[in-house]
Each structure stands twice: as structure tokens, then as C-alpha cells.
Amino acid sequence: MARYGRLDLLCLDELGYVQIDPRGAELLFQIITEREERASVAIATNLPFSEWGTVFPDPRLVAAIVDRVTFNAHIIETGTKSYRLRTSRTTTRTKRGT
């Protein structure tokens, strides 16, 4: 816990890709709470907040986590297009053309 609390920036990539078990969700909540208003957290996910209940097992915990990560946050929505998929398609077309 202390290790993640000391970082200048904590990056959580692909949040929502896999479900988080109850203990893992509690630990993540504690880490986010520890960092609240003291250090930055960057979260990348393809899920809207309304679907975070599919990742975290407890609806009250979901509400608490969303509350903390959105307070004083900069939320950047990049759209639904996948950069990786777009790059792969461009690379595939280029290879076929050569």
C-alpha cells in the first residue's frame, strides 16, 4: 500500500479488462483513497462509469471509487475507435500494397 501511495503518478491501464475480485477491489479502493488529493492517478479504460459495476463486485464500492477518481479530475474521452486496431489496419493495408 505504501509503495503505491508514494508514487508521483499511478497509471492504471485497461481498467475493466478483467473483473476484480472483492479483496483486490478493496485494496484498489484503499490505494485510491490514500492518494486522494495528494497524488495523481491516471486511469485508461474503455468502459463508461456506468459499466464499472461489471468490474467491481460491490455496487457501493463502485460508487465510492468513481466518486474519488472523478473528484477534481480531468476526464478525457478519446472516442470508441481503438488506436491499436486503426494502426493494425493501416499496417496491414500498407503491407498488402507493397
Side-chain angles (χ1 to χ4, degrees), residues 2 5 10 20 32 54 57 82 90 96:
L10 176 65
I20 300 175
I32 290 170
T54 63
S82 166
T90 301
R96 287 182 187 162

Side-chain angles (χ1 to χ4, degrees), residues 6-92:
R6 287 190 305 264
L7 299 171
D8 291 334
L9 173 63
L10 176 65
C11 296
L12 304 175
D13 191 19
E14 298 289 349
L15 185 69
Y17 185 69
V18 296
Q19 289 184 329
I20 300 175
D21 65 33
R23 182 65 183 138
E26 290 171 11
L27 289 171
L28 181 57
F29 172 75
Q30 289 176 1
I31 290 167
I32 290 170
T33 299
E34 170 75 21
R35 300 180 61 81
E36 186 178 15
E37 295 189 46
R38 292 187 320 118
S40 297
V41 176
I43 299 174
T45 181
N46 61 358
L47 294 177
F49 294 119
S50 61
E51 292 183 25
W52 281 25
T54 63
V55 179
F56 298 98
D58 181 352
R60 292 184 332 173
L61 187 59
V62 172
I65 289 172
V66 170
D67 181 63
R68 280 161 177 76
V69 300
T70 58
F71 182 70
N72 285 332
H74 297 280
I75 300 172
I76 302 168
E77 294 186 56
T78 59
T80 58
K81 302 277 183 180
S82 166
Y83 168 79
R84 291 179 184 108
L85 179 59
R86 185 176 68 235
T87 301
S88 295
R89 287 181 177 159
T90 301
T91 303
T92 301

